[in-house]
Amino acid sequence: MGGISVSELEEKIKNRLEAVHVEVIDVSDGCGQAFEVVIVSNLFQGKSTLQRHRLVNEKLKEEIAAVHAFSQKTFTPEQWKESSNGSK
């Protein structure tokens, strides 16, 4: 099975999670089988890390099942702004 492209995964995350910022890094040397993602969304407001990850896993169920590794970091826009990452 081929992998998922970075742009395809970014688009699905933006659409399904109403993300205002997305970073997708293919850590599988370009074969689309392992990803590290940063997702910033208002949908995460008031949710614990576990609840956020469950929401992401639910919305991207098929895509995550198609790859070998999926690592996620989730932030609200306020958390992203306050973090050093958001000030780039």
Coordinates of all heavy atoms in Angstrom, one line a residue:
M1 N 0.8 -1.2 0.0 CA 0.0 0.0 0.0 C 0.9 1.2 0.0 O 1.8 1.3 0.8 CB -0.9 0.0 1.2 CG -1.6 1.3 1.5 SD -2.7 1.2 2.9 CE -4.2 0.7 2.1
G2 N 0.6 2.2 -0.9 CA 1.3 3.4 -0.9 C 0.9 4.3 0.3 O 0.0 4.0 1.1
G3 N 1.7 5.3 0.6 CA 1.4 6.1 1.7 C 0.5 7.3 1.4 O -0.2 7.3 0.4
I4 N 0.4 8.2 2.3 CA -0.4 9.4 2.2 C 0.5 10.5 2.0 O 1.6 10.6 2.6 CB -1.3 9.6 3.5 CG1 -2.2 8.4 3.7 CG2 -2.0 10.9 3.4 CD1 -2.9 8.5 5.1
S5 N 0.2 11.5 1.1 CA 1.0 12.6 0.9 C 0.8 13.6 2.0 O -0.2 13.7 2.6 CB 0.7 13.3 -0.5 OG -0.5 14.0 -0.4
V6 N 1.9 14.4 2.2 CA 1.8 15.5 3.3 C 0.6 16.4 2.9 O -0.2 16.8 3.8 CB 3.1 16.2 3.3 CG1 3.0 17.5 4.2 CG2 4.2 15.3 3.9
S7 N 0.5 16.9 1.7 CA -0.5 17.8 1.3 C -1.9 17.2 1.5 O -2.8 17.9 1.9 CB -0.3 18.3 -0.1 OG -0.4 17.3 -1.0
E8 N -2.1 16.0 1.2 CA -3.4 15.3 1.3 C -3.8 15.2 2.8 O -4.9 15.5 3.2 CB -3.3 13.9 0.8 CG -4.6 13.1 0.9 CD -4.4 11.6 0.4 OE1 -3.3 11.3 -0.1 OE2 -5.4 10.9 0.4
L9 N -2.8 14.9 3.7 CA -3.1 14.8 5.1 C -3.3 16.2 5.7 O -4.3 16.4 6.5 CB -1.9 14.1 5.8 CG -2.1 13.8 7.3 CD1 -3.3 12.9 7.5 CD2 -0.9 13.0 7.8
E10 N -2.6 17.2 5.3 CA -2.8 18.6 5.7 C -4.2 19.0 5.4 O -4.9 19.6 6.3 CB -1.8 19.5 5.1 CG -0.5 19.6 5.7 CD 0.5 20.6 5.0 OE1 0.0 21.3 4.0 OE2 1.6 20.6 5.4
E11 N -4.7 18.8 4.2 CA -6.0 19.2 3.8 C -7.1 18.5 4.6 O -8.1 19.2 5.0 CB -6.2 18.9 2.3 CG -7.3 19.6 1.6 CD -7.2 21.1 1.7 OE1 -6.1 21.7 1.6 OE2 -8.2 21.8 1.9
K12 N -6.9 17.2 4.8 CA -8.0 16.5 5.6 C -8.0 17.0 7.0 O -9.1 17.1 7.6 CB -7.7 15.0 5.5 CG -8.0 14.4 4.1 CD -7.8 13.0 4.0 CE -8.1 12.5 2.6 NZ -8.1 11.1 2.4
I13 N -6.9 17.3 7.6 CA -6.8 17.8 9.0 C -7.5 19.2 9.0 O -8.3 19.4 9.9 CB -5.4 17.9 9.5 CG1 -4.8 16.5 9.7 CG2 -5.3 18.7 10.8 CD1 -3.3 16.5 10.0
K14 N -7.2 20.0 8.1 CA -7.8 21.4 8.1 C -9.3 21.3 7.9 O -10.0 22.0 8.7 CB -7.2 22.2 6.9 CG -5.9 22.7 7.1 CD -5.4 23.5 5.9 CE -3.9 23.9 6.1 NZ -3.3 24.5 4.9
N15 N -9.8 20.4 7.1 CA -11.2 20.3 6.8 C -12.0 19.6 8.0 O -13.0 20.1 8.4 CB -11.5 19.5 5.5 CG -11.1 20.3 4.3 OD1 -11.0 21.6 4.3 ND2 -10.8 19.6 3.2
R16 N -11.4 18.5 8.4 CA -12.2 17.7 9.4 C -12.1 18.3 10.8 O -12.9 18.0 11.7 CB -11.7 16.3 9.4 CG -12.0 15.6 8.1 CD -11.5 14.2 8.0 NE -11.6 13.7 6.7 CZ -11.1 12.5 6.3 NH1 -10.5 11.8 7.2 NH2 -11.2 12.1 5.1
L17 N -11.0 19.0 11.1 CA -10.8 19.5 12.5 C -10.8 21.0 12.6 O -10.5 21.6 13.6 CB -9.4 19.0 13.0 CG -9.4 17.5 13.3 CD1 -8.0 16.9 13.3 CD2 -10.1 17.2 14.6
E18 N -11.3 21.6 11.5 CA -11.4 23.1 11.5 C -10.1 23.8 12.0 O -10.1 24.7 12.8 CB -12.6 23.6 12.3 CG -13.9 23.0 11.8 CD -15.1 23.2 12.8 OE1 -15.0 24.2 13.5 OE2 -16.0 22.4 12.8
A19 N -9.0 23.2 11.5 CA -7.7 23.7 12.0 C -7.3 25.0 11.4 O -7.5 25.3 10.3 CB -6.6 22.7 11.7
V20 N -6.8 25.9 12.3 CA -6.3 27.2 11.9 C -4.8 27.2 11.5 O -4.3 28.1 10.9 CB -6.6 28.3 12.9 CG1 -8.1 28.5 13.1 CG2 -6.0 28.0 14.3
H21 N -4.1 26.1 12.0 CA -2.7 25.9 11.7 C -2.4 24.4 11.7 O -2.9 23.7 12.6 CB -1.8 26.7 12.7 CG -0.4 26.5 12.5 ND1 0.3 27.2 11.5 CD2 0.5 25.6 13.0 CE1 1.6 26.8 11.5 NE2 1.7 25.8 12.4
V22 N -1.7 24.0 10.7 CA -1.3 22.6 10.6 C 0.1 22.4 10.1 O 0.5 23.1 9.2 CB -2.2 21.8 9.6 CG1 -1.8 20.3 9.5 CG2 -3.7 21.9 10.0
E23 N 0.9 21.6 10.8 CA 2.2 21.2 10.3 C 2.2 19.7 10.2 O 1.9 19.0 11.2 CB 3.3 21.7 11.3 CG 3.4 23.2 11.4 CD 4.5 23.6 12.5 OE1 5.3 22.7 12.9 OE2 4.4 24.7 12.9
V24 N 2.6 19.2 9.0 CA 2.7 17.8 8.8 C 4.1 17.5 8.4 O 4.6 18.1 7.4 CB 1.7 17.3 7.8 CG1 1.9 15.8 7.5 CG2 0.3 17.5 8.2
I25 N 4.8 16.6 9.1 CA 6.2 16.2 8.7 C 6.2 14.7 8.5 O 5.8 13.9 9.3 CB 7.2 16.6 9.9 CG1 7.1 18.1 10.2 CG2 8.6 16.1 9.5 CD1 7.8 18.4 11.5
D26 N 6.6 14.4 7.3 CA 6.8 13.0 6.9 C 8.1 12.5 7.4 O 9.2 12.9 7.0 CB 6.7 12.8 5.4 CG 6.8 11.4 4.9 OD1 7.2 10.5 5.7 OD2 6.4 11.1 3.8
V27 N 8.1 11.7 8.5 CA 9.3 11.2 9.1 C 9.7 9.8 8.6 O 10.5 9.1 9.2 CB 9.3 11.2 10.6 CG1 9.2 12.6 11.1 CG2 8.1 10.4 11.1
S28 N 9.1 9.4 7.4 CA 9.4 8.1 6.8 C 10.2 8.2 5.6 O 10.1 7.4 4.7 CB 8.1 7.4 6.5 OG 7.3 8.1 5.6
D29 N 11.0 9.3 5.5 CA 11.9 9.5 4.3 C 11.1 9.6 3.0 O 11.5 9.1 2.0 CB 13.0 8.4 4.2 CG 14.0 8.5 5.3 OD1 14.3 9.6 5.8 OD2 14.5 7.4 5.7
G30 N 9.9 10.2 3.1 CA 9.1 10.4 1.9 C 8.2 9.3 1.4 O 7.5 9.5 0.4
C31 N 8.1 8.2 2.2 CA 7.2 7.1 1.7 C 5.8 7.2 2.2 O 5.0 6.4 1.9 CB 7.8 5.7 2.0 SG 7.8 5.3 3.7
G32 N 5.5 8.2 3.0 CA 4.2 8.5 3.5 C 3.6 7.5 4.5 O 2.4 7.2 4.5
Q33 N 4.5 6.9 5.3 CA 4.0 5.9 6.3 C 4.2 6.3 7.7 O 3.8 5.6 8.6 CB 4.8 4.6 6.0 CG 4.4 3.9 4.7 CD 2.9 3.4 4.8 OE1 2.5 2.9 5.9 NE2 2.2 3.5 3.7
A34 N 4.9 7.4 8.0 CA 5.1 7.9 9.4 C 5.0 9.4 9.4 O 5.7 10.1 8.6 CB 6.4 7.4 9.9
F35 N 4.2 10.0 10.3 CA 4.0 11.4 10.3 C 4.0 11.9 11.7 O 3.6 11.3 12.7 CB 2.6 11.8 9.7 CG 2.5 11.5 8.3 CD1 1.9 10.3 7.8 CD2 3.0 12.4 7.3 CE1 1.8 10.0 6.5 CE2 2.9 12.1 6.0 CZ 2.3 10.9 5.5
E36 N 4.6 13.1 11.8 CA 4.4 13.9 13.1 C 3.6 15.2 12.7 O 3.9 15.8 11.7 CB 5.8 14.4 13.6 CG 6.7 13.2 14.1 CD 8.0 13.7 14.6 OE1 8.4 14.9 14.5 OE2 8.8 12.8 15.0
V37 N 2.6 15.4 13.4 CA 1.7 16.6 13.1 C 1.5 17.5 14.3 O 1.5 17.1 15.4 CB 0.3 16.1 12.5 CG1 0.5 15.2 11.3 CG2 -0.5 15.4 13.6
V38 N 1.3 18.8 14.0 CA 0.9 19.8 14.9 C -0.4 20.3 14.4 O -0.5 20.7 13.3 CB 2.0 20.9 15.0 CG1 1.4 22.1 15.9 CG2 3.3 20.4 15.5
I39 N -1.4 20.3 15.3 CA -2.7 20.8 14.9 C -3.2 21.8 15.9 O -3.2 21.6 17.1 CB -3.8 19.6 14.9 CG1 -3.3 18.5 14.0 CG2 -5.1 20.1 14.5 CD1 -4.1 17.2 14.2
V40 N -3.6 23.0 15.3 CA -4.1 24.1 16.2 C -5.6 24.3 15.7 O -5.9 24.6 14.6 CB -3.3 25.4 16.0 CG1 -3.9 26.5 16.8 CG2 -1.8 25.2 16.2
S41 N -6.5 24.1 16.7 CA -7.9 24.2 16.4 C -8.7 24.7 17.6 O -8.4 24.3 18.7 CB -8.5 22.8 15.9 OG -9.9 22.8 15.8
N42 N -9.8 25.4 17.3 CA -10.7 25.8 18.3 C -11.5 24.7 18.9 O -12.1 24.7 20.0 CB -11.7 26.9 17.8 CG -11.0 28.3 17.7 OD1 -10.4 28.7 18.7 ND2 -11.2 28.9 16.6
L43 N -11.6 23.6 18.1 CA -12.3 22.4 18.6 C -11.7 21.8 19.8 O -12.3 21.0 20.6 CB -12.4 21.3 17.5 CG -13.1 21.6 16.2 CD1 -13.1 20.4 15.3 CD2 -14.6 22.0 16.6
F44 N -10.4 22.1 20.1 CA -9.7 21.6 21.3 C -10.0 22.4 22.6 O -9.6 21.9 23.6 CB -8.2 21.5 21.0 CG -7.8 20.7 19.8 CD1 -6.8 21.1 19.0 CD2 -8.5 19.5 19.5 CE1 -6.4 20.3 17.9 CE2 -8.1 18.7 18.5 CZ -7.0 19.1 17.7
Q45 N -10.7 23.5 22.5 CA -11.0 24.3 23.6 C -11.7 23.5 24.7 O -12.7 22.8 24.4 CB -11.9 25.5 23.2 CG -11.9 26.6 24.1 CD -10.6 27.4 24.1 OE1 -10.0 27.6 23.1 NE2 -10.1 27.8 25.3
G46 N -11.2 23.5 25.9 CA -11.8 22.9 27.0 C -11.7 21.4 27.1 O -12.3 20.7 27.9
K47 N -10.8 20.8 26.2 CA -10.6 19.4 26.1 C -9.2 19.0 26.7 O -8.3 19.8 26.5 CB -10.7 18.8 24.7 CG -12.1 18.9 24.2 CD -12.2 18.3 22.8 CE -13.6 18.1 22.3 NZ -14.5 19.2 22.4
S48 N -9.1 17.9 27.4 CA -7.8 17.4 27.8 C -7.0 16.9 26.6 O -7.6 16.7 25.5 CB -8.1 16.3 28.8 OG -8.6 15.1 28.2
T49 N -5.8 16.6 26.9 CA -4.9 16.1 25.8 C -5.5 14.8 25.3 O -5.6 14.6 24.1 CB -3.5 15.9 26.3 OG1 -3.0 17.2 26.8 CG2 -2.6 15.3 25.2
L50 N -5.9 13.9 26.2 CA -6.5 12.6 25.8 C -7.7 12.8 24.9 O -7.9 12.2 23.9 CB -6.8 11.8 27.0 CG -7.4 10.4 26.7 CD1 -6.5 9.6 25.9 CD2 -7.7 9.7 28.0
Q51 N -8.6 13.8 25.3 CA -9.8 14.0 24.6 C -9.5 14.6 23.2 O -10.1 14.2 22.2 CB -10.7 15.0 25.3 CG -11.4 14.4 26.5 CD -12.1 15.5 27.4 OE1 -11.6 16.6 27.6 NE2 -13.2 15.1 27.9
R52 N -8.5 15.4 23.1 CA -8.1 16.0 21.8 C -7.5 14.9 20.9 O -7.9 14.8 19.7 CB -7.0 17.0 22.0 CG -7.4 18.3 22.8 CD -6.3 19.2 23.1 NE -6.7 20.3 23.9 CZ -6.0 21.4 24.1 NH1 -4.8 21.5 23.6 NH2 -6.4 22.3 24.9
H53 N -6.7 14.0 21.5 CA -6.1 13.0 20.6 C -7.2 12.0 20.2 O -7.2 11.5 19.0 CB -5.0 12.2 21.4 CG -3.8 13.1 21.5 ND1 -2.5 12.5 21.8 CD2 -3.6 14.4 21.4 CE1 -1.6 13.5 21.8 NE2 -2.2 14.6 21.6
R54 N -8.2 11.7 21.0 CA -9.3 10.8 20.6 C -10.1 11.5 19.5 O -10.5 10.8 18.6 CB -10.2 10.5 21.8 CG -9.6 9.5 22.7 CD -10.5 9.3 23.9 NE -10.0 8.2 24.8 CZ -10.4 8.0 26.0 NH1 -11.3 8.7 26.5 NH2 -9.9 7.0 26.7
L55 N -10.3 12.8 19.6 CA -11.0 13.5 18.5 C -10.3 13.4 17.2 O -10.8 13.1 16.1 CB -11.2 15.0 18.9 CG -11.9 15.9 17.9 CD1 -13.3 15.4 17.6 CD2 -11.9 17.3 18.3
V56 N -9.0 13.7 17.2 CA -8.1 13.6 16.0 C -8.2 12.1 15.5 O -8.4 11.9 14.3 CB -6.7 14.0 16.3 CG1 -5.8 13.7 15.1 CG2 -6.6 15.4 16.7
N57 N -8.0 11.1 16.3 CA -8.1 9.7 15.9 C -9.4 9.4 15.3 O -9.4 8.6 14.3 CB -7.8 8.8 17.1 CG -6.3 8.9 17.6 OD1 -5.5 9.5 17.0 ND2 -6.1 8.4 18.8
E58 N -10.5 9.9 15.8 CA -11.8 9.6 15.3 C -12.0 10.3 13.9 O -12.4 9.6 12.9 CB -12.9 10.2 16.2 CG -14.3 10.1 15.7 CD -15.2 10.9 16.6 OE1 -15.1 10.8 17.9 OE2 -16.1 11.6 16.1
K59 N -11.5 11.5 13.7 CA -11.7 12.3 12.5 C -10.8 11.8 11.4 O -11.1 11.9 10.2 CB -11.5 13.8 12.7 CG -12.4 14.4 13.7 CD -13.8 14.6 13.1 CE -14.7 15.4 14.0 NZ -16.0 15.6 13.5
L60 N -9.6 11.2 11.8 CA -8.7 10.7 10.8 C -8.5 9.2 10.8 O -7.4 8.7 10.6 CB -7.3 11.4 11.0 CG -7.3 12.9 10.9 CD1 -6.0 13.5 11.4 CD2 -7.6 13.4 9.5
K61 N -9.5 8.5 11.2 CA -9.4 7.0 11.5 C -8.8 6.3 10.3 O -7.9 5.5 10.4 CB -10.9 6.5 11.7 CG -10.9 5.1 12.2 CD -12.4 4.7 12.5 CE -12.5 3.9 13.7 NZ -13.9 3.7 14.1
E62 N -9.4 6.5 9.1 CA -8.9 5.8 7.9 C -7.4 6.1 7.6 O -6.6 5.2 7.2 CB -9.8 6.1 6.7 CG -11.1 5.5 6.8 CD -12.0 5.8 5.6 OE1 -11.5 6.1 4.5 OE2 -13.2 5.7 5.7
E63 N -7.1 7.4 7.7 CA -5.7 7.8 7.3 C -4.7 7.3 8.3 O -3.6 6.8 7.9 CB -5.7 9.4 7.3 CG -6.4 10.0 6.2 CD -7.9 10.0 6.3 OE1 -8.4 9.8 7.5 OE2 -8.6 10.1 5.3
I64 N -5.0 7.3 9.6 CA -4.1 6.8 10.6 C -4.0 5.2 10.5 O -2.9 4.7 10.6 CB -4.6 7.1 12.0 CG1 -4.5 8.6 12.2 CG2 -3.8 6.4 13.1 CD1 -5.1 9.2 13.5
A65 N -5.0 4.6 10.1 CA -5.0 3.1 9.9 C -4.1 2.7 8.7 O -3.5 1.7 8.7 CB -6.4 2.5 9.7
A66 N -3.9 3.7 7.8 CA -3.2 3.4 6.5 C -1.7 3.7 6.7 O -0.9 3.3 5.8 CB -3.7 4.3 5.4
V67 N -1.3 4.2 7.8 CA 0.2 4.5 8.0 C 0.7 3.7 9.2 O 0.0 3.1 10.0 CB 0.4 6.0 8.2 CG1 -0.1 6.8 7.0 CG2 -0.2 6.5 9.5
H68 N 2.0 3.7 9.3 CA 2.7 2.9 10.4 C 2.8 3.7 11.7 O 2.8 3.1 12.7 CB 4.1 2.4 9.9 CG 4.1 1.4 8.8 ND1 3.5 0.2 8.9 CD2 4.6 1.5 7.6 CE1 3.7 -0.4 7.8 NE2 4.3 0.3 7.0
A69 N 3.0 5.0 11.6 CA 3.2 5.8 12.8 C 2.5 7.2 12.6 O 2.6 7.8 11.5 CB 4.7 6.0 13.1
F70 N 1.9 7.6 13.7 CA 1.2 8.9 13.6 C 1.4 9.6 15.0 O 0.8 9.1 16.0 CB -0.3 8.8 13.3 CG -1.0 10.1 13.1 CD1 -1.1 10.7 11.9 CD2 -1.7 10.6 14.2 CE1 -1.8 11.9 11.8 CE2 -2.4 11.8 14.1 CZ -2.4 12.4 12.8
S71 N 2.2 10.6 15.1 CA 2.4 11.3 16.3 C 1.8 12.7 16.2 O 1.9 13.4 15.2 CB 3.9 11.5 16.5 OG 4.2 12.3 17.6
Q72 N 1.0 13.1 17.3 CA 0.3 14.4 17.2 C 0.6 15.3 18.4 O 0.7 14.8 19.5 CB -1.2 14.1 17.0 CG -1.8 13.3 18.2 CD -3.3 13.1 18.0 OE1 -4.1 14.0 18.0 NE2 -3.6 11.8 17.8
K73 N 0.6 16.6 18.1 CA 0.6 17.6 19.2 C -0.6 18.5 18.9 O -0.7 18.9 17.7 CB 1.9 18.4 19.2 CG 3.1 17.5 19.6 CD 4.4 18.3 19.6 CE 5.6 17.4 19.9 NZ 6.8 18.1 19.8
T74 N -1.4 18.7 19.9 CA -2.6 19.5 19.7 C -2.6 20.7 20.6 O -2.3 20.7 21.7 CB -3.9 18.6 19.9 OG1 -3.8 18.1 21.3 CG2 -4.0 17.5 18.9
F75 N -3.1 21.9 20.0 CA -3.1 23.1 20.7 C -4.4 23.9 20.4 O -4.9 23.8 19.3 CB -1.9 24.0 20.3 CG -0.6 23.5 20.6 CD1 0.1 22.7 19.6 CD2 0.1 23.7 21.8 CE1 1.3 22.2 19.8 CE2 1.3 23.1 22.0 CZ 2.0 22.4 21.0
T76 N -4.9 24.7 21.3 CA -5.9 25.7 21.0 C -5.1 26.9 20.4 O -3.9 27.0 20.6 CB -6.7 26.2 22.2 OG1 -5.7 26.9 23.1 CG2 -7.3 25.0 22.9
P77 N -5.8 27.8 19.7 CA -5.1 28.9 19.1 C -4.4 29.8 20.2 O -3.3 30.3 20.0 CB -6.2 29.7 18.4 CG -7.2 28.7 18.0 CD -7.2 27.7 19.2
E78 N -5.0 29.9 21.4 CA -4.4 30.6 22.5 C -3.1 30.0 23.0 O -2.1 30.6 23.2 CB -5.4 30.8 23.7 CG -6.6 31.6 23.4 CD -7.7 30.9 22.5 OE1 -7.7 29.7 22.5 OE2 -8.5 31.6 21.9
Q79 N -3.2 28.6 23.1 CA -2.0 27.9 23.6 C -0.9 28.0 22.5 O 0.3 28.2 22.9 CB -2.3 26.4 23.8 CG -3.2 26.1 25.0 CD -3.6 24.7 25.0 OE1 -3.9 24.1 24.0 NE2 -3.7 24.1 26.2
W80 N -1.2 28.0 21.3 CA -0.2 28.1 20.2 C 0.4 29.4 20.2 O 1.6 29.6 20.0 CB -0.9 27.8 18.8 CG 0.0 27.8 17.7 CD1 0.1 28.7 16.7 CD2 1.1 26.9 17.4 NE1 1.1 28.4 15.8 CE2 1.7 27.3 16.2 CE3 1.6 25.7 18.1 CZ2 2.8 26.6 15.7 CZ3 2.6 25.0 17.5 CH2 3.2 25.5 16.3
K81 N -0.4 30.5 20.4 CA 0.1 31.8 20.4 C 1.1 32.0 21.6 O 2.1 32.7 21.4 CB -1.0 32.8 20.5 CG -0.7 34.2 20.2 CD -1.9 35.1 20.3 CE -3.0 34.8 19.3 NZ -4.1 35.7 19.3
E82 N 0.8 31.4 22.7 CA 1.6 31.6 23.9 C 2.9 30.7 23.9 O 3.8 31.1 24.5 CB 0.8 31.1 25.2 CG -0.3 32.1 25.5 CD -1.2 31.6 26.6 OE1 -0.9 30.5 27.2 OE2 -2.3 32.2 26.8
S83 N 2.9 29.7 23.1 CA 4.0 28.8 23.0 C 5.1 29.5 22.1 O 4.8 30.4 21.3 CB 3.7 27.5 22.4 OG 3.4 27.6 21.0
S84 N 6.3 29.1 22.2 CA 7.4 29.6 21.4 C 7.2 29.2 20.0 O 7.6 30.0 19.1 CB 8.7 29.2 21.9 OG 8.8 27.7 21.9
N85 N 6.5 28.1 19.7 CA 6.3 27.6 18.3 C 5.4 28.6 17.5 O 5.6 28.8 16.4 CB 5.6 26.3 18.3 CG 6.5 25.2 18.9 OD1 7.7 25.2 18.7 ND2 5.9 24.3 19.6
G86 N 4.5 29.2 18.2 CA 3.5 30.1 17.5 C 4.0 31.4 17.2 O 3.4 32.2 16.5
S87 N 5.2 31.7 17.7 CA 5.8 33.1 17.5 C 6.7 33.1 16.3 O 7.5 34.1 16.1 CB 6.5 33.6 18.7 OG 7.5 32.7 19.1
K88 N 6.8 32.0 15.5 CA 7.7 32.0 14.3 C 7.3 33.0 13.3 O 6.1 33.2 13.0 CB 7.7 30.6 13.7 CG 8.4 29.6 14.5 CD 8.3 28.2 13.8 CE 8.8 27.1 14.6 NZ 8.6 25.8 14.0

